[in-house]
Amino acid sequence: MDIDRTTTALLTGLFDPRNAAAWEAFDRRYRPILIGFARNCGAKDVDAAEVAQETIVRFVEEYRAGKYDRNRGRLGAWLVTIARYRLLDSRRRAGTARIERAESAMVDLDDERSLGASYEAERRQALLREALDEMRTRSRTDPKTIKAFEMLVYHGLAPQVVAEQLEMSTHDVYLAKSRVAAKLREIVLRLESEYEEAPGDWDESGPRPSDGIHS
Amino acid sequence: MTGGEATQIDSDSVGCGRFGRDDLEMLAIAQSDPSAPVVDGIVEHLPKCPACCAVVDRIVADNAFLHELARAASRASDSRAAIARLEAQREDLAASGGPISGYRLGAEIHRGAQGAVFRAEQIATRRVCAVKMLLGGRFAGDRELIRFEREVEVVARLRHPAIVTLYESGVSRDGEPWFAMELVEGERLDDFVRAHFSPPRQVAQLLRQIADGIAYAHRRGVIHRDLKPGNIVVDAEGVPRVLDFGLARLQGGDAPAEVNSATTMAGEFVGTFAYAAPEQLAGDPGAVDSRCDLYALGVVFYQCLVGRRPFEGARSIAELVAQKTGSVPTRPSALNGAIDGDLDVITLRLLAADPARRYVTADALVEDLERFLDGRPILAREDSMAYVVRKTLRRHWIASSAAAALMATILISGVALAFAYANAQRQRVRSERTLASFRDAVGSVNPEASSGSASLSVEQFLELIEANSANELSSEPAVLAGVRDTIGIVHLGFEDAPRAERALSQALDERRRLYANGECSREEVAESLHNMGRVCILQRKLTEAEAFYREALAVRSDVFGERDPRTMLTARHLASCLRRENRLDEALALYDALEVRALDQSGYPALDLAAIRNGRAFIYQSRGELPRALSDFEDALDAIRGQLASDDYRVGRSLFNIASTQERLSMPVESLQNATQALEILRKRKGGDAATVVDVEKLIARLRSLPSIDPSVGPN
């Protein structure tokens, strides 16, 4: 495990406003999750990006002011609570109670459990993307194996087509898929332990409005 | 994942070996898709073979995992609304032939992290332009897409000669967003300056045009945030254009505080760290505002003036931040002798670590550059003084508002005193500006919001100003010398000779040194010499005073001419000094000459003429030529009566001079009348003139004791 990448290390680094690396790492990790989460809650692209931006900035401010105590709740729960108020603000600003999307597709902002589940789904997706990224850029897996895997899984090509284009047997195409899947599982497991954010109980909540979150 | 499972998957034989990997894969697929073809006998085999069963289970789990992964990966490049919009536009564009409808793309001009720029021609208008395309198109990340759209939105609202013009935007057939803009053919700013050996003045002209564009953008709420020589191109006509608003931020309205996204992206920001303001590097989102652009312009300006950036050699961001916040860059003029001191001040003002020390707006920068180019005094120097005053006041506020008002009065009159001599155009502009700045500085402090000692004396206050000035203005020695000169004069006003001497002699030494380096004018040296003369008079060091006055007079006569009020002021002080030295003939000759010059000038100040006559009258008095003395004193009183309030202390003193001369001329009735009036006026002036009041009272007592005088006349 890369100890410098753990959430604990990241939060420690974040205390220092001049530690640009910690800020970058934190932002890189949580911004995509928050954008996806805000989208699930019905925000449009640009609004979602703004909500993520405001949430991160607000979290870092509060964290530096000593308001966030990890023992009191999970980081994700805290972020969700901040983001929820930002989303409500964003809706108010837009002057609409509901944004133009099928309501069934939206997460109810008053339902803490579904908010938590939505965040969790985004977090998992972000983690998978990061794993993929690492597999592509940092792992020593043979490029042809990765190519076969991508053609098969991303582009949805038939194993025979992949085999033909890459001049390999379908057996090897399937083997490539298995090898890459194994490698990815390994990376995902490691990232989960670095992030120290295994799925947990979402009833442990973040800050309440009385904490001054909502301005 | 265990090592054993990995070995099994990697081996050629799968499961028990009866069926191949393809067969087991198909069986796994068939579990969720019954239409998938499976090989004969495998369905019956599976329940009986734990080895094959384990492999199929593994494949099923892999497939579910990979499906989830594929979905996550597609989300990453799926900026849904944007993509939907792109899809709709794609259909329209599909038939148009080239990748961009209506444009013929030419050679690639530039490729950066964000996108590529092509030379292009708009087919309908035959207009040559540049087309920028976001690389990766629909598969670009959210951030890139948003940034690209932001750039289109930002540039579209800007129309300025120094900012590249956007023509139109859209989406290519391949789903890649693009925009067409004016094609600027030229050189990067730094290359241009280097290749043309641009002198400092030309660099200042270029910067003025760039700053004008940035000021315009700021007024429309746009902060560029990535200004650097590579983003400024000088065209064939020598006009600079600002490009690349990809990192720009819209300010104002309900726009939320946004972190500089540049700092959030590893790898992208590295190239521009050198141009980022310290508060940008510190990652403090609240501190990032339009003044970041001013800092970046400072770095660009510095680099263009001297050929290198102000801070170089840092090995890490932390080191760069430490340099930028902890040290003042070397003055450009120290690296290039052709650079004017005013450009030093402007550049270092832009590079101030504290944003509050920079120009307040880009418009203010434009104004100072215009002033510099027109040969007028720049405002940054005066602002520096006001800044020091404001900061001092904030740090050490006086609790009671009455004390505050008193302090403001003292301060303003002190400054007014310092600039009372300033009559020439250059000085007048400067003194008016300075007074305004000082008033603003004093007025901007809210006593209720501050705490501090209620017993801060004027001396302590001035010392604080002095200490802060030495600290804050270390990079602007000419301004610092001006502040010390002003402080010295305020001390002089309070007849505090030791403090006045300390401040004024420091100012003089500093100005002599600066003058030797060409960083301050002879006029300023002469001003300090004159003020040193005044201190010496206060200390009764007449020989030294005479030497200072004579040197000041020589410079002022040379620079301003003999009839200039500043030259005549020094001459009058010299005459007064000679009189005190009892060199009455020399003094008298000087006063006579001054009176002739004064009367030749229709606009000569009446108060100054009165002072000349008063001085001469004292000489006549010493020589016993009393009628002449009385005549001069009376003329002086006539001159000042038109100018001052009837109860001004100077009227009182003048009346006393007349009364005492009349006493000696045996005119007791007239003398008593004037002395009584003088006492009435002088008693009103609290504190200051106690000695004169005593003298007047003694005179009145003497007159009353005369037998010809009715003792009931006059005050009790």
Side-chain angles (χ1 to χ4, degrees):
Chain A
M1 185 193 303
D2 183 351
I3 198 74
D4 294 335
R5 283 163 50 109
T6 62
T7 301
T8 305
L10 208 54
L11 286 173
T12 307
L14 211 56
F15 251 125
D16 178 3
R18 281 168 304 188
N19 189 340
W23 168 260
E24 280 167 17
F26 186 84
D27 182 75
R28 201 165 46 241
R29 189 178 296 174
Y30 290 101
R31 184 185 295 265
I33 303 176
L34 289 164
I35 289 178
F37 170 75
R39 277 206 197 108
N40 292 344
C41 296
K44 286 193 279 191
D45 290 340
V46 176
D47 295 332
E50 300 283 16
V51 165
Q53 175 67 40
E54 291 173 32
T55 304
I56 288 173
V57 170
R58 178 60 70 99
F59 170 78
V60 173
E61 278 170 7
E62 293 185 354
Y63 173 66
R64 285 182 185 152
K67 289 185 188 168
Y68 170 62
D69 176 3
R70 265 194 117 186
N71 298 323
R72 277 179 53 202
R74 299 172 62 240
L75 178 59
W78 194 275
L79 288 173
V80 164
T81 310
I82 298 175
R84 180 174 167 265
Y85 287 113
R86 298 293 116 206
L87 280 161
L88 288 169
D89 266 359
S90 166
R91 282 188 189 176
R92 257 198 300 278
R93 274 205 299 268
T96 49
R98 294 277 187 234
I99 297 171
E100 324 102 34
R101 258 175 68 170
E103 288 196 16
S104 59
M106 286 167 53
V107 175
D108 184 353
L109 285 182
D110 293 327
D111 179 358
E112 272 190 32
R113 272 189 182 279
S114 56
L115 284 175
S118 167
Y119 177 87
E120 195 48 48
E122 288 299 328
R123 190 194 65 80
R124 169 84 179 163
Q125 291 205 352
L127 193 84
L128 293 177
R129 283 196 293 271
E130 194 173 341
L132 260 178
D133 211 38
E134 186 176 326
M135 193 268 300
R136 280 181 185 141
T137 56
R138 286 204 289 270
S139 83
R140 274 169 294 177
T141 311
D142 166 40
K144 198 171 172 185
T145 304
I146 294 179
K147 183 80 183 158
F149 163 81
E150 290 190 337
M151 288 170 82
L152 189 71
V153 175
Y154 291 152
H155 305 293
L157 296 175
Q160 292 75 15
V161 176
V162 178
E164 200 176 300
Q165 285 195 9
L166 296 181
E167 294 176 336
M168 58 204 289
S169 66
T170 49
H171 171 90
D172 287 340
V173 171
Y174 284 127
L175 192 63
K177 185 190 74 169
S178 293
R179 278 186 180 149
V180 173
K183 184 75 201 161
L184 283 168
R185 278 212 175 85
E186 198 181 292
I187 298 173
V188 165
L189 273 175
R190 206 196 62 244
L191 290 178
E192 285 280 16
S193 67
E194 276 176 7
Y195 290 4
E196 307 161 276
E197 283 261 351
D201 182 2
W202 276 90
D203 281 348
E204 265 188 274
S205 60
R208 304 250 75 102
S210 59
D211 287 341
I213 289 293
H214 184 51
S215 57
Chain B
M1 168 84 30
T2 66
E5 284 167 338
T7 307
Q8 187 187 20
I9 286 168
D10 286 356
S11 67
D12 276 350
S13 66
V14 184
C16 67
R18 186 175 158 193
F19 292 94
R21 178 175 290 277
D22 302 17
D23 303 330
L24 295 174
E25 287 276 355
M26 287 315 288
L27 185 66
I29 291 169
Q31 294 200 351
S32 56
D33 178 8
S35 67
V38 292
V39 72
D40 283 348
I42 195 169
V43 177
E44 295 75 23
H45 169 73
L46 203 67
K48 295 178 234 158
C49 179
C52 287
C53 207
V55 173
V56 172
D57 284 350
R58 162 62 62 186
I59 293 170
V60 168
D62 273 358
N63 287 352
F65 173 61
L66 293 174
H67 180 69
E68 188 191 4
L69 209 74
R71 220 178 46 208
S74 71
R75 268 306 289 282
S77 54
D78 169 12
S79 186
R80 288 182 191 169
I83 294 300
R85 215 164 48 238
L86 303 189
E87 294 290 351
Q89 292 185 25
R90 280 181 82 192
E91 289 171 20
D92 297 341
L93 291 168
S96 69
I100 295 175
S101 172
Y103 285 84
R104 190 173 295 127
L105 290 194
E108 188 173 309
I109 303 170
H110 170 76
R111 181 171 287 255
Q114 251 202 73
V117 182
F118 299 88
R119 174 186 271 276
E121 185 189 38
Q122 194 176 26
I123 295 164
T125 61
R126 314 283 314 217
R127 178 165 63 180
V128 175
C129 59
V131 165
K132 183 170 181 175
M133 293 179 81
L134 176 62
L135 295 176
R138 57 180 302 202
F139 298 109
D142 297 344
R143 191 195 298 268
E144 286 71 32
L145 201 58
I146 289 167
R147 186 182 288 175
F148 197 86
E149 288 178 347
R150 174 65 57 89
E151 182 171 6
V152 172
E153 186 191 345
V154 162
V155 183
R157 63 162 75 183
L158 302 177
R159 285 275 182 278
H160 189 277
I163 295 174
V164 67
T165 307
L166 183 128
Y167 297 146
E168 64 174 323
S169 64
V171 176
S172 78
R173 238 177 80 188
D174 300 327
E176 289 169 329
W178 59 271
F179 62 83
M181 60 187 162
E182 172 189 15
L183 177 68
V184 184
E185 287 182 295
E187 293 169 273
R188 280 167 55 119
L189 178 66
D190 48 349
D191 290 344
F192 177 89
V193 169
R194 211 177 16 249
H196 295 79
F197 303 104
S198 303
R201 193 176 166 77
Q202 193 189 357
V203 174
Q205 272 163 344
L206 284 168
L207 184 76
R208 192 200 64 73
Q209 296 176 72
I210 297 163
D212 201 47
I214 294 302
Y216 166 88
H218 286 178
R219 285 196 297 274
R220 273 153 190 77
V222 176
I223 309 172
H224 188 287
R225 298 201 301 180
D226 194 24
L227 287 169
K228 53 186 175 183
N231 282 342
I232 302 166
V233 173
V234 184
D235 71 13
E237 267 125 53
V239 178
R241 298 273 166 63
V242 179
L243 317 170
D244 201 348
F245 281 75
L247 289 181
R249 190 181 113 185
L250 293 170
Q251 203 181 33
D254 283 342
E258 188 186 353
V259 182
N260 182 344
S261 58
T263 62
T264 68
M265 293 289 285
E268 282 189 351
F269 197 28
V270 174
T272 50
F273 275 140
Y275 300 89
E279 67 271 21
Q280 256 175 309
L281 290 177
D284 177 1
V288 173
D289 59 23
S290 58
R291 290 172 296 186
C292 290
D293 281 352
L294 295 178
Y295 188 92
L297 283 178
V299 182
V300 169
F301 196 26
Y302 193 101
Q303 188 178 354
C304 289
L305 284 172
V306 305
R308 70 168 179 84
R309 289 193 292 263
F311 300 104
E312 286 192 335
R315 281 159 301 178
S316 66
I317 303 174
E319 211 173 299
L320 190 62
V321 172
Q323 279 186 356
K324 287 187 172 186
T325 52
S327 58
V328 175
T330 311
R331 280 181 292 111
S333 64
L335 301 168
N336 174 356
I339 294 168
D340 189 279
D342 277 354
L343 291 183
D344 277 347
V345 173
I346 292 172
T347 315
L348 297 180
R349 172 54 75 93
L350 290 167
L351 290 172
D354 177 359
R357 288 284 284 120
R358 289 178 214 144
Y359 284 96
V360 179
T361 60
D363 283 311
L365 168 64
V366 173
E367 179 170 3
D368 252 5
L369 286 166
E370 278 173 356
R371 283 172 162 270
F372 167 75
L373 292 166
D374 295 348
R376 290 178 291 144
I378 61 166
L379 303 177
R381 292 183 189 271
E382 280 73 47
D383 285 350
S384 298
M385 298 168 75
Y387 174 81
V388 171
V389 174
R390 189 161 52 231
K391 205 159 174 183
T392 311
L393 284 170
R394 288 221 170 101
R395 280 189 193 147
H396 306 278
W397 190 241
I398 309 145
S400 98
S401 55
L406 176 69
M407 186 59 72
T409 310
I410 289 167
L411 189 66
I412 289 163
S413 43
V415 177
L417 189 64
F419 287 91
Y421 313 111
N423 291 321
Q425 184 58 28
R426 180 182 162 86
Q427 288 295 344
R428 189 154 54 233
V429 170
R430 185 172 278 196
S431 64
E432 282 165 7
R433 289 279 182 181
T434 308
L435 272 176
S437 313
F438 271 79
R439 274 195 205 104
D440 289 350
V442 173
S444 70
V445 178
N446 176 8
E448 287 174 17
S450 312
S451 59
S453 163
S455 58
L456 193 66
S457 69
V458 174
E459 289 78 11
Q460 287 170 324
F461 175 73
L462 290 173
E463 274 168 9
L464 286 169
I465 296 250
E466 203 175 348
N468 280 341
S469 304
N471 193 23
E472 304 287 346
L473 299 177
S474 57
S475 63
E476 295 172 46
V479 180
L480 179 58
V483 170
R484 289 206 164 114
D485 197 66
T486 304
I487 289 170
I489 290 169
V490 178
H491 283 309
L492 257 185
F494 286 91
E495 301 195 343
D496 185 343
R499 284 192 170 95
E501 188 192 2
R502 199 187 59 216
L504 291 170
S505 65
Q506 274 180 345
L508 176 61
D509 291 348
E510 189 63 15
R511 281 176 165 173
R512 278 195 201 273
R513 191 184 64 75
L514 290 167
Y515 175 65
N517 294 335
E519 292 168 35
C520 99
S521 64
R522 281 180 84 197
E523 296 96 290
E524 284 167 314
V525 176
E527 186 184 31
S528 279
L529 286 165
H530 176 94
N531 291 333
M532 279 305 292
R534 294 181 62 201
V535 176
C536 292
I537 292 284
L538 188 65
Q539 294 170 319
R540 310 214 182 283
K541 296 194 278 193
L542 301 176
T543 315
E544 286 95 326
E546 187 190 334
F548 282 123
Y549 282 136
R550 283 199 186 278
E551 197 182 341
L553 184 61
V555 176
R556 286 186 162 176
S557 301
D558 193 27
V559 176
F560 304 129
E562 289 199 327
R563 288 169 188 277
D564 184 273
R566 285 163 291 187
T567 310
M568 288 177 67
L569 177 77
T570 302
R572 181 157 60 78
H573 278 236
L574 175 62
S576 168
C577 179
L578 293 169
R579 178 173 62 77
R580 287 164 203 250
E581 288 181 280
N582 215 25
R583 286 154 64 184
L584 300 182
D585 289 343
E586 288 169 72
L588 191 60
L590 196 46
Y591 278 128
D592 284 342
L594 283 169
E595 189 192 31
V596 171
R597 273 184 233 156
L599 293 173
D600 278 352
Q601 297 180 46
S602 58
Y604 192 77
L607 288 175
D608 290 351
L609 180 59
I612 292 170
R613 286 178 171 157
N614 262 335
R616 192 169 59 186
F618 284 120
I619 297 176
Y620 290 136
Q621 215 177 32
S622 314
R623 284 181 165 182
E625 296 178 40
L626 298 174
R628 282 184 157 181
L630 181 61
S631 164
D632 268 346
F633 279 137
E634 283 174 343
D635 283 350
L637 180 63
D638 286 345
I640 64 174
R641 267 204 163 129
Q643 304 286 320
L644 300 171
S646 59
D647 59 351
D648 187 281
Y649 76 98
R650 283 165 286 187
V651 174
R653 278 189 164 184
S654 223
L655 284 165
F656 171 61
N657 290 337
I658 292 169
S660 55
T661 312
Q662 286 169 331
E663 182 200 16
R664 290 173 65 188
L665 279 170
S666 305
M667 300 161 70
V669 179
E670 294 85 349
S671 178
L672 184 60
Q673 247 177 6
N674 288 324
T676 308
Q677 261 190 52
L679 186 63
E680 205 174 306
I681 293 167
L682 292 172
R683 271 183 177 167
K684 280 187 192 163
R685 196 193 180 207
K686 289 169 190 164
D689 237 355
T692 314
V693 170
V694 172
D695 287 344
V696 182
E697 284 170 347
K698 281 182 185 166
L699 170 63
I700 291 171
R702 280 199 303 277
L703 292 168
R704 278 193 179 162
S705 67
L706 293 175
S708 58
I709 295 286
D710 177 356
S712 65
V713 176
N716 296 313

